[in-house]
Amino acid sequence: MKHAQRLPLDWLVPAARPDDLTAIETTLIDPGSYLGERVAGNLKRLNDVDLEARLAGFRNRPGEHPWIGEHIGKWLHAASITWTNTGDAKLRARLDYAASALIATQEPNGYLGTYAVEKRFGAYPEADWDVWSHKYCIIGLLAYYRATGADEALRCARRAADLIVSTFSGPSGRKALLGAGTHMGMAATSILEPMVLLYRHTAERRYFAFAEEILVTWDEQGGPRVLSTLLETGRVSEVGNGKAYEMLSNILGLVEFARVLGNDAHLAAAIRAWDDVVAHHLYITGTASFGEHFHNQNELPDSTSVNMGETCVTVTWLQLTLALLGLTGETRFAEEVERTTFNQLPGAQLRDGSAWCYYVPLHGYRNYGSGITCCISSGPRGMALVPGSILWTDRAASELIVAQYQSARAVVRLGGQDVTVSIDTIVPYRGDAKVTFTMMAEAKFGLRLRKPRWAAGFRVMGTDAVDEGGWVRIAPRIFRSGETLTIRFDIGQRKIEGTAWNAGRVAMSWGPLVLAYQSEDKAPSTFDSIDPRGAPLDFSTPHAENSWSVLNPLGPAGRRAVRISSFAEIGPRSHDYKVWIDREPTAPRLSVFHGAVERLSSGDLARGSASDYDRFTFAATDKNYEQSWFALEAAAPVTFSRVEFTHGRSLIHGGWFDASQSKPEIQIRETSSAEWRTIARIEGYPETDAEHDGGLKPGQTFVVGLPSPVTATGLRVRGTGSFGEYPPGRFATCGELQAFS
């Protein structure tokens, strides 16, 4: 398809509540800068993605997995934003091809999914993401339309939306929307966002009427009660089943709805959700949720084993925060954009853009991939938004806003003319920035510069600047071509004190960068604490790595040498890293199986451990195995009279032992070649079954006293796994397995 570029397209339906700030999406980041490297890698990734694999499920229905339909829409979204930003010719050719190919697969009735006819728009086994996939196809097509003006893309999106409306809307609707998506319907109702966007593009009232129906649908029997819960309690953990990605997608749609309708209550509900996440569910690196759900307030386990930091959540959180920044102009949103884009988002991406992570923990390891998963498709969407997070204008285009500090350049309409704005800085490595203006004639405009919370001594040289709500404002005045503003501030090492879940621990940072450390030796990091004699840190050069030390009573001379790097760049190494460290040393209480080889009936021990002395990290067996066990095997016989088993965590799909037939067993074997034999059962284990965990708490420990000491080389706990809400596959978790004399 060949189209004349017409960017930006005007909305046919203006917002009743217009944005306070407008992002300059065409900002070009210096590819040598911290974020510029990542953005450049993202462009390469988008140009290298296998489009045929993402189109195959549409060309030959049904597709190979339930949500295969979301990936081409996500790619179109990311690539359209990136082409708008870069004008890359190769990417434009791929965009035109992908959009044309997707449009060609649309059925006459408007269907744009990947399921067989008999399994469409319902909760069928392995076919329950149809509305969700349509959502992403429509989002991708609308992004392509906004970037290129391709009317075919808008028509395709409308036909798909019309089918959704006719299938689910009002008395004539043949199906219930809640029943067409997982997680209490939140997967399906997240189509709210593109329905509102379609209304704004077309002025067709039926799309907005359907969006209004979605808000009512939330409160139907068994529904997630998104809006009503947020208005009543403001707690995201009480919305639906707490599934973070789908919930945030719904809240993002609620923001779009509030923008069009101008309803303060709707916007207030979205902001209450955002506030709750920041106060109680946000990790220091700028992501939220673990196990893909919001749990209890202030519960922030951060290891690989709890599946924290889902990249889909990170990206949707960034989208929501950027939307609220634009609507309100408040610096608190800009601060969180920075936290995410400097830490969690690049931490999910290999620097060259070739691979992304599904989960990015604060403690553990990262598994990078380049195939087709929801998160590998989401990550590039988040990185595509980064250039548009730096420069903004106010509603009247009379003020330039600098929200992030990176070397970048953009042409911005200010004071009635085009002004080339250039930022020169080496943040996050060292402080200071210069902003230079180039234009045909002098222009009058104001400036709003974000004063970062980490920046020391922030001042704008030679101007009368006013500190106002986190922004430093310069009143409108005449600027001449070539004029440069110099901003002075210092960047350095900071210690961040942990609170609530992380009370008694500290983390290290350098300016906006969260730092993480790792060691080559095998001493349990559970016993690490701050070394008061640790060397000062210096991250004033790109990709710096510092030698550091921590106290550890099991290390040589009570301490051990570690390497410390930025959180984003420590991930590709294969061994454990950590962000939080104890303030005070902990005296070790060592099991007689200290240093033993750890085994389990199935699964990957790299994701967690039952012998690391940390009851909030855990090993987990694979699903689809009824019997689960966790074992320790010592090199020589050890004697003990007490066994302690610590439950790992109950997850929505299982993770505990099913005790309906028999309590979990404690088994030993005297030699490595002997048979395992049962010596006790965990009689204090609650009355559980495959679906219910009996009130087990994360890290709950059960002590089994033996009638007399036993000597063995092997110890294991064994039982029947559970499946929670997702039968039939069963599995179990183990936080710790220890024995004492």
Side-chain angles (χ1 to χ4, degrees):
M1 293 185 293
K2 294 184 181 296
H3 306 283
Q5 181 185 354
R6 43 190 176 109
L7 173 75
L9 292 169
D10 291 331
W11 297 103
L12 292 184
V13 178
R17 192 190 195 291
D19 284 7
D20 186 69
L21 307 182
T22 300
I24 308 302
E25 296 177 346
T26 51
T27 300
L28 291 171
I29 304 182
D30 181 347
S33 67
Y34 176 77
L35 292 178
E37 281 188 289
R38 303 295 184 145
V39 170
N42 200 46
L43 172 61
K44 183 178 184 302
R45 166 75 183 169
L46 292 169
N47 270 325
D48 290 346
V49 157
D50 180 0
L51 295 176
E52 302 309 314
R54 286 153 179 79
L55 291 163
F58 296 90
R59 288 169 168 161
N60 297 289
R61 299 179 174 101
E64 66 180 24
H65 70 69
W67 54 92
I68 192 68
E70 74 178 43
H71 302 290
I72 192 64
K74 287 182 173 181
W75 184 88
L76 282 168
H77 183 215
S80 296
I81 297 170
T82 301
W83 179 76
T84 297
N85 177 251
T86 64
D88 184 80
K90 179 181 178 181
L91 187 60
R92 174 59 192 267
R94 285 168 60 80
L95 264 170
D96 291 345
Y97 169 75
S100 293
L102 177 61
I103 292 168
T105 70
Q106 189 169 40
E107 295 182 1
N109 69 349
Y111 185 74
L112 199 60
T114 59
Y115 293 154
V117 174
E118 67 276 11
K119 290 188 175 181
R120 293 182 178 177
F121 298 136
Y124 303 102
E126 296 300 306
D128 50 0
W129 292 88
D130 212 0
V131 178
W132 173 268
S133 293
H134 275 75
K135 172 191 77 170
Y136 275 114
C137 285
I138 295 171
I139 285 173
L141 288 166
L142 290 181
Y144 178 69
Y145 169 65
R146 284 196 64 77
T148 67
D151 291 329
E152 298 96 321
L154 181 60
R155 286 195 294 269
C156 181
R158 292 179 67 171
R159 288 195 298 269
D162 289 343
L163 176 62
I164 298 290
V165 172
S166 66
T167 300
F168 297 103
S169 180
S172 62
R174 301 188 303 277
K175 295 191 175 185
L177 186 60
L178 290 181
T182 61
H183 302 297
M184 298 180 69
M186 287 193 294
T189 59
S190 69
I191 202 165
L192 173 64
E193 178 196 1
M195 284 293 176
V196 176
L197 296 179
L198 262 175
Y199 170 61
R200 295 196 67 193
H201 278 302
T202 66
E204 291 287 349
R205 175 68 194 177
R206 64 183 178 277
Y207 301 131
F208 196 73
F210 187 66
E212 291 176 312
E213 286 185 33
I214 289 175
L215 269 64
V216 175
T217 299
W218 282 339
D219 283 338
E220 290 178 0
Q221 181 68 33
R225 300 188 70 247
V226 178
L227 178 59
S228 55
T229 298
L230 293 176
L231 290 175
E232 290 167 10
T233 72
R235 292 190 174 189
V236 293
S237 59
E238 297 176 7
V239 174
N241 65 350
K243 184 65 162 62
Y245 177 22
E246 287 77 2
M247 185 198 309
L248 290 173
S249 298
N250 279 266
I251 296 170
L252 183 60
L254 183 62
V255 170
E256 292 299 332
F257 190 92
R259 177 183 276 121
V260 172
L261 197 62
N263 189 302
D264 290 340
H266 294 153
L267 181 58
I271 292 176
R272 287 191 76 183
W274 189 92
D275 286 339
D276 184 50
V277 172
V278 171
H280 303 294
H281 302 280
L282 191 70
Y283 289 89
I284 191 176
T285 52
T287 192
S289 82
F290 63 92
E292 303 188 4
H293 288 67
F294 292 116
H295 297 267
N296 298 325
Q297 288 189 330
N298 302 317
E299 187 179 10
L300 295 171
D302 59 14
S303 68
T304 304
S305 59
V306 299
N307 288 344
M308 70 141 289
E310 183 189 7
T311 296
C312 287
V313 172
T314 302
V315 171
T316 314
W317 171 249
L318 176 61
Q319 288 181 284
L320 176 61
T321 306
L322 283 167
L324 293 175
L325 172 58
L327 267 170
T328 68
E330 295 178 20
T331 52
R332 59 183 176 139
F333 300 113
E335 292 284 348
E336 296 306 334
V337 167
E338 179 186 73
R339 185 196 303 272
T340 299
T341 57
F342 275 73
N343 296 288
Q344 188 72 24
L345 185 65
Q349 178 204 38
L350 281 183
R351 196 190 306 158
D352 64 2
S354 61
W356 284 82
C357 292
Y358 204 114
Y359 303 112
V360 187
L362 271 64
H363 174 198
Y365 81 103
R366 298 175 199 171
N367 185 15
Y368 292 88
S370 56
I372 301 179
T373 71
C374 59
C375 289
I376 292 173
S377 294
S378 284
R381 298 171 64 225
M383 197 57 70
L385 295 170
V386 168
S389 70
I390 296 174
L391 292 173
W392 307 64
T393 61
D394 69 336
R395 196 176 301 171
S398 62
E399 190 175 34
L400 175 72
I401 293 92
V402 179
Q404 294 215 66
Y405 294 94
Q406 287 287 272
S407 288
R409 179 172 55 84
V411 177
V412 185
R413 192 73 177 173
L414 290 166
Q417 64 173 296
D418 288 341
V419 178
T420 299
V421 180
S422 300
I423 303 176
D424 182 21
T425 183
I426 54 174
V427 169
Y429 309 113
R430 294 197 294 276
D432 298 350
K434 292 183 178 181
V435 185
T436 302
F437 309 100
T438 306
M439 53 273 198
M440 295 296 295
E442 63 183 26
K444 184 178 182 179
F445 54 88
L447 276 142
R448 213 186 302 182
L449 309 168
R450 184 172 66 88
K451 181 181 178 181
R453 286 177 292 196
W454 45 262
F458 190 96
R459 59 200 186 281
V460 184
M461 309 305 291
T463 65
D464 294 326
V466 178
D467 196 334
E468 189 176 291
W471 298 110
V472 171
R473 303 188 78 152
I474 298 171
R477 67 171 178 83
I478 297 296
F479 285 89
R480 295 175 174 80
S481 188
E483 189 170 346
T484 296
L485 279 181
T486 299
I487 309 164
R488 300 289 188 197
F489 54 89
D490 295 325
I491 288 180
Q493 174 183 343
R494 292 185 303 139
K495 190 180 292 183
I496 301 171
E497 299 288 342
T499 59
W501 182 270
N502 290 305
R505 300 203 286 178
V506 297
M508 306 304 296
S509 68
W510 181 271
L513 299 180
V514 174
L515 305 179
Y517 75 94
Q518 60 190 173
S519 171
E520 298 287 358
D521 68 49
K522 300 300 182 182
S525 63
T526 309
F527 303 125
D528 286 345
S529 61
I530 283 287
D531 183 355
R533 294 187 290 175
L537 302 175
D538 183 0
F539 287 90
S540 60
T541 56
H543 316 305
E545 180 181 277
N546 286 201
S547 296
W548 205 44
S549 66
V550 297
L551 299 180
N552 190 303
L554 302 182
R559 56 176 28 86
R560 61 176 180 163
V562 299
R563 296 193 308 272
I564 187 166
S565 306
S566 71
F567 175 79
E569 298 192 339
I570 206 166
R573 303 191 186 101
S574 60
H575 51 285
D576 252 16
Y577 64 85
K578 288 184 76 172
V579 167
W580 290 102
I581 184 171
D582 285 347
R583 171 172 286 287
E584 302 294 337
T586 301
R589 174 174 168 263
L590 300 182
S591 165
V592 296
F593 281 92
H594 177 69
V597 175
E598 186 175 347
R599 304 190 192 281
L600 69 170
S601 53
S602 61
D604 181 6
L605 278 170
R607 297 189 61 199
S609 172
S611 62
D612 61 357
Y613 299 96
D614 185 343
R615 64 193 181 99
F616 291 110
T617 64
F618 56 84
T621 59
D622 282 337
K623 297 190 72 171
N624 303 320
Y625 295 88
E626 184 164 321
Q627 292 297 309
S628 293
W629 54 259
F630 304 87
L632 301 173
E633 297 185 0
V638 295
T639 300
F640 52 95
S641 58
R642 188 174 81 260
V643 176
E644 295 186 8
F645 164 75
T646 300
H647 170 60
R649 179 171 287 275
S650 301
L651 302 168
I652 194 169
H653 51 292
W656 58 92
F657 287 116
D658 174 359
S660 58
Q661 300 299 317
S662 177
K663 297 292 180 78
E665 303 170 312
I666 300 298
Q667 298 184 317
I668 63 167
R669 63 181 180 185
E670 286 78 5
T671 67
S672 59
S673 59
E675 294 294 321
W676 290 97
R677 65 183 179 90
T678 300
I679 60 170
R681 295 187 184 276
I682 306 178
E683 298 298 343
Y685 203 80
E687 299 298 325
T688 62
D689 58 32
E691 298 180 72
H692 307 96
D693 74 351
L696 277 166
K697 304 298 183 188
Q700 185 173 346
T701 298
F702 300 90
V703 178
V704 178
L706 305 177
S708 58
V710 298
T711 300
T713 60
L715 170 68
R716 78 177 184 180
V717 59
R718 179 178 180 271
T720 303
S722 54
F723 49 65
E725 296 181 13
Y726 293 95
R730 295 171 180 259
F731 77 105
T733 63
C734 177
E736 290 296 307
L737 180 59
Q738 301 172 313
F740 301 92
S741 58

